[in-house]
Amino acid sequence: MRIAAVRREQGERLLRSPWWRGGAALLAGALPALAFPAPDLWWFAYIALVPWLLLIRSAGTGRRAALDGWLGGTGYLLAVHNWLLPSLHVFLVILAALLGLLWAPWGLLVSRLLGGSPSVARVGAALIVVPSGWLMIELARSWDALGGPWGLLGASQWQVPMALRVASVGGVWLVSLLVVGVNTAVTLLLVTSAARTAAAVGIVVGALAVGAIWRWAPQPEPAGTARIAVVQPGVVEGSNSVELRFARSEQLTRTLVGRQLDLVVWGESSVGEDLSQRPDLAARIAKLSREVGTDVLVNMDARQTDGSGRTGIFKSAVLVGPDGPTGDRYDKMRLVPFGEYIPARSVLGWVTSVGKAAGEDRLRGNRQVVMSVPEPPSPVHSSRAGAERLRIGPLICFESAFPDMSRRLARDGAQLLIAQSSTSTFQHSWAPAQHASLGALRAAESGRPMVHATLTGISTVYDAQGHRIGTPLGTDTSAAAVFDVPLATGTTLYVRLGDWPVQGALGVLAAFCAYEGVRSLRRRTRVEPVGAAAPAGRL
């Protein structure tokens, strides 16, 4: 007992040191990154926030709680985006510190609800309000100008069937609420005996709600199968790497002849020239289309002119048929900050001198597109001969992180979501696995299968419930793979209702702030003397 007391006293002394406490906050905030690929300790997400919550709870002042929130948020962003360090160098630390400020108000919120000896009422409020506050941070981060929704806590549950079913009801937002709610409850179980019963009741209620979702949430209905081929050329280096990659993609595509395909998909930046200006390249892809008996979805990363007459570098998904480009084209709408454009380039343009930031801003598309792949001409060439046109919804790279984009495509009639990606710059980091995992969430949310096709891996496919189909193509693979993808009909509650968990969280926080404001006003009124005479010389 005496040894334990001494160690406890030493720990408290360290936490009273601003430097030690700051380091502890950074480390505590970084812990949840272990729940994401590549460590992929999904179960850890449900307790990963507990050390951070306990640290904030012990803050003696609101200022210290806000600082713990800020430093923890900085640690979280650095850990989740650690693979960006070789590209952005010290600027990643600056960005993480700036965006980490989003967690400062959350630190105040946690301190207010979990500090001291919380009453039963305060415990009940904490189980709802603390997760709602976290969700507002994720909402703010989801603005693409602030980096986009990479590393949303709910995305760590991409391989958990129960969580995927929850996502079909409320998107990744509802999964994040669930994960933070469990962390809050576990923290309360460790605090005081008075809080334990209420926290345990909260856990039971949450479990019952998830069980009800599992039992009654509508699920997609089977609607046939599409045979999709993914061409992954692998790492190609050298001064003429663009041409070599194109040639390797051609070679791999020819191995698919006779496989009765419905579509062939190449990865992001698989074509480095504008096909309208390079008819020779367009003719080569058209020839491939004739040989394999179906259209080829390629991706151009080149200086082009769009339909409105703008000229610049676009990233575009282009469908090519036996006679050449079909006219179906989608220009990437949401660009990667610093990777594809520099926000406020006149101020931040110096970033290009310290990292691999974009030397020239890409141009954005202005609308999402659902493409129609013609029905196969004969049973010799396809598993869907005589079927109606296959409607596909393309996304490009970073866009698979945005729930609203895949939801929009599903509402517009897409039967199959396709994300064309390239993470070759981050080949030996956590990035390829993290990026590939996002497809599971988007499939479950939309109730539509998703193909994640890359240049260098990881290429993979998910069914309409977010379950992986077949064997992924890893980062050490150069190959073409065929996937029999089950199509589905029906509408998930998330597609139907949208981001209702976010709206609910906003309502919870508004109600909490109103309650606190009224309570503060009443307290101030009780303190002021009633009927006190005005000071002399004043009315």
Side-chain angles (χ1 to χ4, degrees), residues 30-103:
L31 287 177
L34 297 175
F36 294 89
D40 233 356
L41 305 177
W42 64 265
W43 53 268
F44 185 61
Y46 294 93
I47 57 172
L49 296 179
V50 173
W52 191 5
L53 291 169
L54 289 172
L55 183 68
I56 295 174
R57 179 182 177 273
S58 70
T61 64
R63 180 179 178 181
R64 184 69 243 185
L67 185 59
D68 290 342
W70 171 45
L71 291 174
T74 301
Y76 181 83
L77 293 173
L78 284 173
V80 172
H81 296 87
N82 68 82
W83 44 274
L84 281 172
L85 193 58
S87 295
L88 295 182
H89 304 302
V90 70
F91 195 69
L92 177 61
V93 179
I94 298 172
L95 284 175
L98 290 173
L99 292 175
L101 289 170
L102 293 170
W103 275 270

Side-chain angles (χ1 to χ4, degrees), residues 226-230 252-264 291-294 376 378-384 479-484:
R227 178 164 287 183
I228 309 298
V230 174
L252 291 171
T253 302
R254 287 199 170 92
T255 67
L256 300 169
V257 173
R259 299 294 299 272
Q260 300 182 358
L261 302 172
D262 293 297
L263 182 67
V264 177
E291 291 175 356
V292 298
T294 191
S378 72
V380 174
H381 291 102
S382 175
S383 60
R384 296 181 62 253
V482 177
F483 299 88
D484 289 318

Side-chain angles (χ1 to χ4, degrees), residues 254-512:
R254 287 199 170 92
T255 67
L256 300 169
V257 173
R259 299 294 299 272
Q260 300 182 358
L261 302 172
D262 293 297
L263 182 67
V264 177
V265 184
W266 290 11
E268 179 190 12
S269 304
S270 49
V271 179
E273 301 282 348
D274 180 3
L275 293 179
S276 66
Q277 301 300 315
R278 288 292 303 273
D280 57 323
L281 296 181
R284 287 164 65 179
I285 301 172
K287 182 180 179 183
L288 290 174
S289 174
R290 292 191 296 271
E291 291 175 356
V292 298
T294 191
D295 288 4
V296 182
L297 184 69
V298 301
N299 188 278
M300 299 190 308
D301 184 1
R303 191 170 301 280
Q304 311 165 46
T305 301
D306 70 355
S308 62
R310 294 180 301 160
T311 298
I313 300 177
F314 288 90
K315 285 197 174 182
S316 307
V318 177
L319 195 63
V320 181
D323 300 320
T326 64
D328 278 332
R329 164 177 161 167
Y330 165 65
D331 297 324
K332 186 176 184 181
M333 296 172 61
R334 294 183 181 169
L335 305 177
V336 180
F338 301 100
E340 294 173 338
Y341 78 103
I342 304 294
R345 183 177 285 272
S346 59
V347 177
L348 299 176
W350 57 270
V351 177
T352 58
S353 64
V354 298
K356 299 176 182 178
E360 177 182 349
D361 291 350
R362 269 56 173 172
L363 298 185
R364 300 174 184 268
N366 50 31
R367 66 185 182 89
Q368 290 189 259
V369 175
V370 174
M371 302 178 180
S372 293
V373 180
E375 62 271 19
S378 72
V380 174
H381 291 102
S382 175
S383 60
R384 296 181 62 253
E388 64 181 13
R389 288 172 173 256
L390 177 65
R391 294 175 60 79
I392 62 173
L395 298 165
I396 301 175
C397 192
F398 177 61
E399 294 179 328
S400 66
F402 292 86
D404 64 304
M405 297 194 74
S406 51
R407 175 174 174 258
R408 174 63 181 269
L409 290 170
R411 294 187 66 178
D412 288 347
Q415 299 169 285
L416 176 66
L417 305 176
I418 297 178
Q420 296 172 298
S421 173
S422 169
T423 51
S424 53
T425 305
F426 314 104
Q427 189 74 355
H428 302 293
S429 71
W430 294 357
Q434 284 187 20
H435 199 179
S437 71
L438 295 174
L441 271 299
R442 302 295 85 84
E445 290 166 343
S446 63
R448 298 293 179 265
M450 184 162 192
V451 174
H452 181 79
T454 75
L455 289 181
T456 59
I458 300 171
S459 296
T460 189
V461 179
Y462 301 95
D463 68 14
Q465 294 179 318
H467 305 147
R468 179 174 273 167
I469 299 171
T471 303
L473 298 177
T475 54
D476 59 348
T477 302
S478 174
V482 177
F483 299 88
D484 289 318
V485 184
L487 302 179
T489 60
T491 305
T492 64
L493 288 177
Y494 177 67
V495 169
R496 189 178 305 161
L497 302 177
D499 298 329
W500 64 267
V502 173
Q503 298 159 5
L506 279 168
V508 165
L509 290 174
F512 176 75

